[in-house]
């Protein structure tokens, strides 16, 4: 810029570069896989400690990505009976179960109008690769109702390209309301026991009211069922971060 | 109405014929039902032979997919799938569109012809 005096403008130092240290941010890993949290019981915590050590060993060799129910994954497993000795399956994760080394997840897809579900073990040495195709959360933790939903909600293209995602973005919650096939369903999903928010119930009002008869509103106040995992989670998270950085 | 209890294949289970044979695909007022399972126990899993009653005829068939969850890493289908077979093991249809589990390849000797007409493997 030319100042009014004709002299060169006053030297303004350039703005200091803001260094975002990604490493320090990565240390606060917000996500802890649910299979690390030991279930409530009277077993010796030593057993869970040994299991966790084995799980960390496996994770060092083979990276298991961040996981939520409702995520679309492609899993390649080693199979002696398949051509090329390996097979690839793409599907949406409908539930995660099990604790410790036996943790499983179920992937569902509809191939050629036939619904297929496969239950994989996370820590099995037969799994060669897990690719994340779409990272998103759904409104529920258990998407078993997709079996009774219209097949279009469970179809995913086998050659789907992975959806690109920024590293520090929030994980999007898909508020999709799924339409169901006509009743009868495998389970009565309208009952409050399942607490499903992701279905668009097209049932008449009196049926929805009749389903509320089975609601147990005292359950959330039951103190004997409380299992506060926050402190346990923090301990385990510290352990994990220490071990994985070694 | 759908009976949900057993989910593996036993006597009187309604099955779905999956190949493109005329017997399996022509509509009939009664669905194909299993009348006998060639097994020590009467319960048929994937890879077992059963006797079907279709259109008033008796036909042998091979179980290709079941609703009951099996060992981990094996697929679980949403319907009990079956492929029509002759007594010597030759399939009657010429093509199988629906996916078939890889575990059937273990018994290549018996099922080689069925595996040859299958298109997708899961």
């Amino acid at each position: 810029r030319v100042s009014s005096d004709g002299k060169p403008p006053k030297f303004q130092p350039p703005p200091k570069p803001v260094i975002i240290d990604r490493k320090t941010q990565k240390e606060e890993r917000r996500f802890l896989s649910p299979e690390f949290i030991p279930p409530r019981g009277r077993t010796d915590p030593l057993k869970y400690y040994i299991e966790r050590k084995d799980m960390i060993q496996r994770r060092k060799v083979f990276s298991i990505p961040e996981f939520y129910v409702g995520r679309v994954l492609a899993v390649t497993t080693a199979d002696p009976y398949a051509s090329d000795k390996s097979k690839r399956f793409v599907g949406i994760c409908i539930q995660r179960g099990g604790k410790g080394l036996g943790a499983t997840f179920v992937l569902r897809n509809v191939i050629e109008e036939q619904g297929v579900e496969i239950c994989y073990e996370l820590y099995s040495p037969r799994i060669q690769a897990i690719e994340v195709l779409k990272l998103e959360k759904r409104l529920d933790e258990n998407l078993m109702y997709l079996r009774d939903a219209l097949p279009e909600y469970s179809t995913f293209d086998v050659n789907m390209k992975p959806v690109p995602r920024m590293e520090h973005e929030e994980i999007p919650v898909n508020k999709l309301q799924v339409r169901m096939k006509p009743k009868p369903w495998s389970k009565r999903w309208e009952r409050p026991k399942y607490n499903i928010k992701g279905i668009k119930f097209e049932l008449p009002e009196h049926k929805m009211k009749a389903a509320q008869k089975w609601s147990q509103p005292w359950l959330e106040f039951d103190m004997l069922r409380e299992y506060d995992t926050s402190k346990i989670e923090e301990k385990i998270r510290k352990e994990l971060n220490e071990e994985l950085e070694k | 109405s759908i009976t949900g209890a057993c989910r593996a294949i036993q006597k009187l289970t309604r099955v779905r014929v999956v190949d493109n044979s005329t017997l399996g695909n022509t509509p009939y007022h009664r669905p194909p039902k299993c009348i006998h399972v060639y097994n020590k126990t009467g319960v048929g899993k994937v890879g077992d032979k059963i006797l079907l009653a279709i259109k008033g005829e008796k036909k042998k068939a091979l179980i290709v997919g079941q609703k009951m969850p099996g060992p981990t890493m094996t697929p679980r289908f949403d319907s009990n799938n079956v492929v029509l077979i002759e007594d010597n093991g030759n399939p009657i249809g010429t093509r199988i569109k629906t996916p078939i589990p890889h575990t059937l390849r273990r018994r290549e000797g018996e099922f080689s012809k069925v595996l040859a007409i299958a298109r997708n493997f899961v």
Side-chain angles (χ1 to χ4, degrees):
Chain A
R1 288 181 207 152
V2 182
S3 60
S4 49
D5 288 355
K7 293 180 199 168
K10 195 175 172 188
F11 171 68
Q12 275 161 352
K16 272 196 175 167
V18 180
I19 307 168
I20 310 170
D21 201 4
R22 291 275 162 99
K23 278 192 184 174
T24 45
Q25 281 195 1
K26 265 192 181 172
E27 266 178 37
E28 344 153 330
R29 241 170 270 209
R30 303 147 293 156
F31 176 69
L32 181 69
S33 247
E35 68 260 5
F36 281 103
I37 303 166
R40 207 170 99 163
R42 284 172 55 186
T43 41
D44 205 343
L46 180 66
K47 176 199 171 202
Y48 299 120
Y49 178 67
I50 300 174
E51 271 205 311
R52 256 177 279 141
K53 270 175 99 176
D54 282 336
M55 277 150 58
I56 293 170
Q57 272 282 320
R58 174 74 183 159
R59 278 194 183 229
K60 281 190 194 168
V61 175
F62 170 72
S63 72
I64 298 175
E66 207 178 307
F67 229 112
Y68 292 103
V69 168
R71 197 162 194 205
V72 183
L73 297 177
V75 178
T76 23
T77 39
D79 198 349
Y81 303 113
S83 54
D84 306 330
K85 306 288 179 198
S86 73
K87 61 175 178 176
R88 187 186 139 104
F89 185 70
V90 177
I92 184 172
C93 172
I94 33 176
Q95 82 165 6
R96 297 183 75 163
K99 302 275 180 198
L101 282 172
T104 53
F105 62 99
V106 183
L107 288 186
R108 179 185 164 84
N109 198 349
V110 171
I111 310 177
E112 302 267 347
E113 300 157 18
Q114 168 74 63
V116 186
E117 291 173 12
I118 309 190
C119 180
Y120 288 105
E121 279 166 358
L122 269 184
Y123 295 99
S124 162
R126 268 168 75 179
I127 296 187
Q128 286 163 346
I130 303 184
E131 295 149 28
V132 170
L133 295 178
K134 218 186 188 188
L135 173 53
E136 63 181 14
K137 272 201 241 195
R138 293 279 198 123
L139 291 166
D140 309 301
E141 296 232 334
N142 214 328
L143 294 181
M144 286 292 187
Y145 55 81
L146 283 181
R147 290 180 194 167
D148 297 318
L150 298 173
E152 59 187 16
Y153 294 104
S154 318
T155 32
F156 292 96
D157 188 20
V158 183
N159 304 321
M160 207 163 99
K161 300 260 170 84
V163 170
R165 187 187 150 250
M166 295 289 294
E167 252 192 66
H168 297 282
E169 260 180 20
E170 285 266 342
I171 300 160
V173 179
N174 195 353
K175 303 201 177 165
L176 182 66
Q177 298 272 314
V178 157
R179 294 186 60 203
M180 309 287 277
K181 291 193 222 171
K183 270 200 155 193
W185 300 329
S186 58
K187 305 243 182 227
R188 296 174 216 241
W189 303 112
E190 75 272 12
R191 295 225 173 144
K193 166 174 147 188
Y194 299 107
N195 196 15
I196 293 183
K197 300 163 199 153
I199 303 184
K200 187 173 182 186
F201 290 111
E202 283 154 8
L203 297 171
E205 279 250 10
H206 65 269
K207 293 222 168 163
M208 298 296 290
K209 276 196 189 166
Q212 292 298 319
K213 259 203 287 183
W214 280 269
S215 71
Q216 294 166 317
W218 57 86
L219 268 188
E220 56 172 317
F221 301 111
D222 196 343
M223 292 181 74
L224 284 180
R225 281 174 212 255
E226 274 175 17
Y227 185 37
D228 189 19
T229 46
S230 45
K231 292 186 189 163
I232 307 175
E233 262 183 45
E234 277 187 37
K235 269 199 228 167
I236 297 179
R237 215 173 272 177
K238 264 197 220 166
E239 242 190 78
L240 258 191
N241 289 340
E242 279 169 17
E243 295 281 330
L244 284 174
E245 265 152 42
K246 276 186 198 167
Chain B
S1 67
I2 304 162
T3 35
C6 174
R7 293 136 103 216
I9 299 180
Q10 57 182 4
K11 291 195 186 182
L12 292 191
T13 33
R14 287 163 283 196
V15 279
R16 178 184 160 205
V17 173
V18 147
D19 55 9
N20 64 347
S21 51
T22 37
L23 240 198
N25 291 19
T26 39
Y28 192 61
H29 57 90
R30 301 186 72 185
K33 274 193 196 166
C34 168
I35 21 181
H36 188 260
V37 181
Y38 291 102
N39 212 344
K40 288 284 166 82
T41 66
V43 177
K45 307 275 171 110
V46 174
D48 288 336
K49 293 203 186 150
I50 57 173
L51 231 203
L52 283 190
I54 307 180
K55 295 185 81 179
E57 299 170 14
K58 291 184 281 192
K59 236 4 192 241
K60 275 207 189 170
L62 174 72
I63 303 178
V64 160
Q66 62 185 14
K67 259 178 132 177
M68 180 160 140
T72 49
M73 308 285 199
T74 47
R76 183 208 89 107
F77 296 84
D78 274 357
S79 63
N80 299 318
N81 297 341
V82 125
V83 172
L84 292 178
I85 243 181
E86 296 280 350
D87 283 340
N88 47 14
N90 298 351
I92 296 174
T94 46
R95 246 176 269 169
I96 304 178
K97 258 169 95 182
T98 40
I100 295 200
H102 283 286
T103 38
L104 282 185
R105 273 199 211 257
R106 193 177 297 170
R107 299 200 254 166
E108 277 251 34
E110 295 171 52
F111 306 143
S112 54
K113 293 178 198 171
V114 179
L115 295 169
I117 55 173
R119 289 246 226 103
N120 303 0
F121 282 93
V122 167

